[in-house]
Structures are given as structure tokens and as C-alpha cells.
Amino acid sequence: MNIKETIFRFIAKRQQKQPRQAVYRDYQSVQSVLILFESEVRELNVQAKALVKQLQADGKEVTAWGYIDRKKATSGVLANYRVLGQSDYNLWGLPNENERQDLLAQHYDLLIDLNTHQLLPLRYLALYADADFKAGLQTEKPWLADFMISITDEDQLENPAFLFDQIIYYLKTVKSVAIPQQPEDNDTEK
């Protein structure tokens, strides 16, 4: 394990000690979505943009953040779409303060992490994002998602759209109901 991974695990462990209540929402009740993705080399990101359009067609407000493994991304920064490069992270792999503040400036109902290669920069974004419910690929600890999809087929693992389809399928299928809390019994005599 390298030093950057060790630092990430330390920060993730510390971050996860702070209470965060995951709130499951079925697909219909989700209004705002953050998608994290690995950018294509040419930064066209046709697949990621198609997934954004698919969610927007369903009436969702979508923001997408990508990462490209080179010094600087060439894509323009928009309010709901950006690609980060190495210069947007510090020496230890943490996102710069500006990026962290921009990420925390908005609250999301759902985070969909399409990081199939476990890129550290995207893992940090998943860790810091303010989202009620986080979904992504099953990983080793530390778990950053509340809902994880296990993919064993290597060919499918290389396809973020397959992961996206699986997450959306289960969010549309699984229904959640609130269970009323029972009043606690008091040991006082009546």
C-alpha cells in the first residue's frame, strides 16, 4: 500500500466517525444526482453525458464530476459538469480546497459513483460529497457507498454504463417504507 492510499484510508476512517445518516430514496423521489466518472482521454465523455441526459429526461437535476489522469483537464468548468486533473489535487492526492468547497456547496439526494478503477481522486470526491445516499461498485474497506453493486464479469467491470444500469435498475425496483418507531418502554410503574 502506498503513502497516498494510507493517507486516504486514515482520512476516510476519520471522516466516517462523524455521524452520517444514509437516507434511502427510491428512484421516483430522487431529485438531485451527482455522478462521478473517469474521464476519457480526449475528454469527450460521450457515455457520461448520455447517462446525464438519461437522468435529466426523468426529471432529475444532475451534476457530473469526472477525473482525468493528466496534469490539467481541457474541458471547461460548468455549474453542473466538470473534469478535474492532477493539478486540482495536492501532493498527497486530496482535492484542493476550492474543489472541496465547490463539491460541498450543493446537497444531493443521490450520488452515483461510476469509478470502476478505484481511482483515488474520485474516491475522495465520493468521500467528501454531501449526498443522502451513495451508490457505487462494491469495494474493499473503507466503504464509501451505502448501496454497492458487485460485478464479477471483468468485461462488464470495464463498462461504467453497465454499473449505472445496475444501480438504476435496483433503485427503481427496491421500495422503501418508513417504519414507525415504537415508544421506548419506561421502567416506571403506573
Side-chain angles (χ1 to χ4, degrees):
M1 184 177 339
N2 67 30
I3 187 75
K4 287 183 180 181
E5 180 67 25
T6 302
I7 291 170
F8 172 78
R9 287 176 182 268
F10 174 78
I11 290 172
K13 190 174 185 179
R14 190 177 69 198
Q15 184 91 1
Q16 290 174 340
K17 284 184 181 178
Q18 299 171 3
R20 178 185 161 270
Q21 182 68 34
V23 178
Y24 177 79
R25 294 201 172 129
D26 62 18
Y27 187 75
Q28 282 66 34
S29 66
V30 169
Q31 294 183 5
S32 60
V33 180
L34 172 63
I35 295 178
L36 301 178
F37 66 95
E38 181 179 356
S39 179
E40 299 167 356
V41 175
R42 292 179 39 205
E43 294 185 45
L44 297 176
N45 300 315
V46 175
Q47 192 175 53
K49 289 176 182 176
L51 300 177
V52 167
K53 285 183 181 180
Q54 181 180 337
L55 291 170
Q56 288 172 333
D58 287 345
K60 314 298 181 200
E61 181 183 318
V62 184
T63 302
W65 283 45
Y67 174 77
I68 188 156
D69 193 17
R70 66 173 175 232
K71 184 77 172 161
K72 206 159 184 63
T74 59
S75 300
V77 175
L78 304 173
N80 63 349
Y81 180 85
R82 68 169 55 178
V83 176
L84 303 176
Q86 294 166 350
S87 63
D88 297 307
Y89 292 81
N90 69 18
L91 179 64
W92 304 112
L94 281 90
N96 293 335
E97 186 64 27
N98 291 342
E99 280 64 43
R100 282 197 307 258
Q101 292 303 318
D102 287 352
L103 184 64
L104 290 170
Q106 186 167 347
H107 173 79
Y108 301 96
D109 296 333
L110 172 65
L111 177 145
I112 299 176
D113 184 358
L114 300 177
N115 183 9
T116 58
H117 293 103
Q118 296 307 302
L119 297 173
L120 191 59
L122 290 175
R123 290 168 61 202
Y124 270 115
L125 295 180
L127 177 66
Y128 287 125
D130 180 17
D132 287 339
F133 193 71
K134 298 178 180 184
L137 186 64
Q138 183 177 5
T139 63
E140 295 179 13
K141 285 186 177 181
W143 292 307
L144 302 178
D146 305 307
F147 178 76
M148 295 180 279
I149 299 288
S150 177
I151 300 175
T152 55
D153 183 346
E154 288 295 322
D155 292 335
Q156 297 294 7
L157 187 58
E158 293 296 319
N159 183 0
F162 178 78
L163 175 59
F164 176 85
D165 290 343
Q166 294 299 303
I167 291 170
I168 297 301
Y169 171 79
Y170 285 105
L171 289 177
K172 286 181 176 180
T173 304
V174 176
K175 301 295 180 202
S176 172
V177 294
I179 299 173
Q181 292 186 345
Q182 298 295 324
E184 293 184 27
D185 290 336
N186 292 334
D187 288 15
T188 58
E189 292 185 31
K190 296 181 183 177

